[in-house]
Amino acid sequence: MSTYTQEVGEKLNAILEKTYDAEKGFKKAAENTDHIQLKTFFQSKAQQRYDFGHELKSEIKSFGQEVDKGDSLAGKAHRAWMDVKALFSLEDAESMLEEAIRGEKAALDEYNDVLKDTSLPSTTSAVLKSQKHAIENGLSNIKMLEDLH
């Protein structure tokens, strides 16, 4: 097995780990709001990240690489922070939207960083570009929801 495929596998596993984190974070946000539009939005984002995870796992396995399981310490801290914000903030919906925006921007930075690698296989690049585009669209929707709220 070449270093190249191992490196691609490691990069995809890093994004996969953050995808798991985002899925759990969006589920937690949906649980922490009674606002119907926000709950629906967060649930759909959680499902989207679940789907992203399956795409990424397939891509990783296509290289014969191992799929990492679990979530990151940063992801756990992010969800804990959202719990605290929901419990103590008078404007918890707005706070959760702000945190979702922060998380989505961080995800875009991660995707952009990996997409800079010119040695990515075309299938990997296509998956990542598609997911990045979906995150960008979701970010626009979050900003619209923030305006509504």
Side-chain angles (χ1 to χ4, degrees):
M1 183 159 305
S2 72
T3 305
Y4 164 72
T5 57
Q6 185 174 354
E7 182 179 329
V8 170
E10 288 170 4
K11 288 179 180 187
L12 292 180
N13 267 304
I15 288 182
L16 179 61
E17 185 174 315
K18 289 180 178 74
T19 299
Y20 290 144
D21 292 342
E23 177 189 352
K24 291 173 186 173
F26 283 123
K27 282 181 181 178
K28 187 63 82 173
E31 293 167 8
N32 286 327
T33 186
D34 294 326
H35 191 283
I36 297 299
Q37 283 179 296
L38 291 180
K39 185 179 285 291
T40 301
F41 176 76
F42 288 138
Q43 288 169 335
S44 74
K45 292 301 286 181
Q47 181 62 49
Q48 177 190 61
R49 287 316 204 285
Y50 175 83
D51 296 340
F52 282 5
H54 281 285
E55 285 180 312
L56 291 167
K57 283 191 258 186
S58 293
E59 194 66 17
I60 292 165
K61 288 177 182 177
S62 75
F63 291 116
Q65 298 291 308
E66 291 294 315
V67 174
D68 291 341
K69 307 249 185 225
D71 58 20
S72 69
L73 182 59
K76 289 176 186 175
H78 177 77
R79 287 188 301 281
W81 186 89
M82 287 186 83
D83 284 345
V84 169
K85 290 287 262 187
L87 288 173
F88 297 111
S89 176
L90 294 175
E91 299 177 28
D92 59 295
E94 184 177 336
S95 297
M96 286 190 289
L97 284 170
E98 288 171 5
E99 187 61 10
I101 290 169
R102 188 196 67 74
E104 294 294 79
K105 286 180 178 177
L108 288 175
D109 288 344
E110 178 95 13
Y111 276 80
N112 285 331
D113 186 50
V114 174
L115 284 166
K116 285 180 193 172
D117 185 341
T118 57
S119 66
L120 285 176
S122 60
T123 58
T124 302
S125 183
V127 166
L128 294 177
K129 285 177 183 176
S130 172
Q131 291 182 0
K132 178 185 164 212
H133 182 68
I135 293 169
E136 289 168 336
N137 287 342
L139 190 55
S140 296
N141 291 338
I142 292 172
K143 290 178 180 176
M144 284 189 295
L145 283 170
E146 193 174 41
D147 291 340
L148 290 176
H149 187 52

